[in-house]
Amino acid sequence: ALARRLRAAADELRPSPPRVARGHARTARGGRRNDDDEGNEGNEGNENDGFDFAAYPSRHVALRVMYAGWDYRGFASQGAEQDGVRTVEEALFRALKRVRLIAPDATWKTCDYTRCGRTDAGVSALGQVVSARLRCRVPRRDDDDDGDGGDEIDYPAVLNRALPRDIRILGWTYVSPAFSARFDCEYRHYKYFFTDWNGLDVSAMNEAASAFVGEHDFRNFCKMDARNVHNYRRRIDSCRVVVNGPDSEFVRV
């Protein structure tokens, strides 16, 4: 079911039609796009094609990312460009550079990149969030309330033309320069699917799952990050084991 939803969503987000020669084009978000200043968006180009990234303003933007992860070795970069290991994050960074939303030599630190979390090899996501300082058309003012972004670059349309079809940008928003996709996250929602091979005792599994609900110290279940993390207590709002439909062979947690 999850695979079907991912593929269906990807099919609905087909690349935008070619830009008109001049004037304004309507974006997927309903804003207006001035083609006179977007001649470079979506072009592959290279680092020496004369595009001066420093000549453009930039803003902190959060992106909502969906991906089908079965062909990737997880979300987080693992030095994939050197090792030949495919990760979603490396594909995303390549696309950001290709459409010149970040500089060709940008690193996580220089573009203030943060991610909400990691996923393992083969795991998919419908609502991963990342943030970075991206090239923009609407500079931020000191008294700016962020506005509605109506005249901004259509980040989903631009990036989806450059990304593999199993990675899609679903939405975006301006965020504060201090925003962290990791530490400003309010909650995470996970679903695990597995096959009911031998008639699992779902009732007993639910009884065991209920022990996770509440606030607990999870320091023994995570990588120690003393520089950034000082509180290892987390609250589990719900943990349930559900048969995925009356005739389904799958159980989800």
Side-chain angles (χ1 to χ4, degrees):
L2 177 60
R4 286 196 299 272
R5 290 174 62 191
L6 285 164
R7 290 192 175 107
D11 288 342
E12 291 173 3
L13 289 166
R14 295 186 183 278
S16 301
R19 295 189 294 108
V20 294
R22 295 183 62 83
H24 295 283
R26 186 67 57 179
T27 71
R29 298 171 52 255
R32 298 178 71 194
R33 183 177 69 205
N34 188 336
D35 289 327
D36 292 339
D37 62 354
E38 273 191 55
N40 287 303
E41 286 178 12
N43 296 340
E44 292 193 40
N46 58 65
E47 296 182 16
N48 302 312
D49 63 1
F51 183 83
D52 184 6
F53 184 84
Y56 292 82
S58 61
R59 294 187 67 164
H60 286 77
V61 172
L63 302 171
R64 184 178 182 185
V65 186
M66 176 191 78
Y67 52 89
W70 39 78
D71 290 331
Y72 295 90
R73 297 287 294 176
F75 179 79
S77 170
Q78 304 172 20
E81 290 180 344
Q82 289 75 32
D83 300 338
V85 178
R86 295 186 72 201
T87 66
V88 176
E89 200 165 56
E90 287 290 350
L92 179 58
F93 249 72
R94 283 196 298 271
L96 287 167
K97 292 179 178 180
R98 176 181 171 186
V99 298
R100 301 174 179 86
L101 292 179
I102 60 175
D105 58 350
T107 65
W108 293 353
K109 183 174 293 186
T110 60
C111 69
D112 300 321
Y113 173 82
T114 63
R115 71 169 88 89
C116 179
R118 301 167 180 260
T119 51
D120 292 332
V123 176
S124 301
L126 295 175
Q128 174 71 276
V129 174
V130 302
S131 67
R133 185 164 40 81
L134 306 181
R135 177 170 61 86
C136 69
R137 186 183 299 118
V138 184
R140 181 181 176 88
R141 302 189 304 269
D142 290 341
D143 60 347
D144 198 311
D145 63 355
D146 287 343
D148 62 2
D151 292 323
E152 190 53 273
I153 295 169
D154 190 343
Y155 293 114
V158 169
L159 279 167
N160 286 336
R161 287 196 293 267
L163 283 164
R165 284 186 54 80
D166 48 9
I167 304 174
R168 300 285 90 182
I169 305 300
L170 301 183
W172 69 276
T173 185
Y174 296 129
V175 291
S176 136
F179 176 82
S180 168
R182 177 184 178 188
F183 293 111
D184 288 320
C185 174
E186 295 183 355
Y187 71 92
R188 295 181 176 92
H189 184 188
Y190 296 92
K191 289 185 180 181
Y192 302 89
F193 294 82
F194 50 95
T195 304
D196 184 1
W197 285 300
N198 298 309
L200 298 173
D201 189 339
V202 174
S203 177
M205 295 172 70
N206 265 308
E207 183 178 354
S210 67
F212 285 99
V213 177
E215 185 174 299
H216 307 282
D217 189 319
F218 287 94
R219 73 181 66 217
N220 293 328
F221 294 87
C222 65
K223 179 180 179 180
M224 301 300 288
D225 185 3
R227 176 180 297 179
N228 296 308
V229 180
H230 307 286
N231 175 20
Y232 296 94
R233 299 192 67 82
R234 296 293 184 270
R235 187 183 73 249
I236 306 297
D237 293 325
S238 175
C239 186
R240 298 181 301 140
V241 182
V242 180
V243 177
N244 201 44
D247 300 319
S248 175
E249 297 180 354
F250 292 95
V251 174
R252 73 175 187 268
V253 177

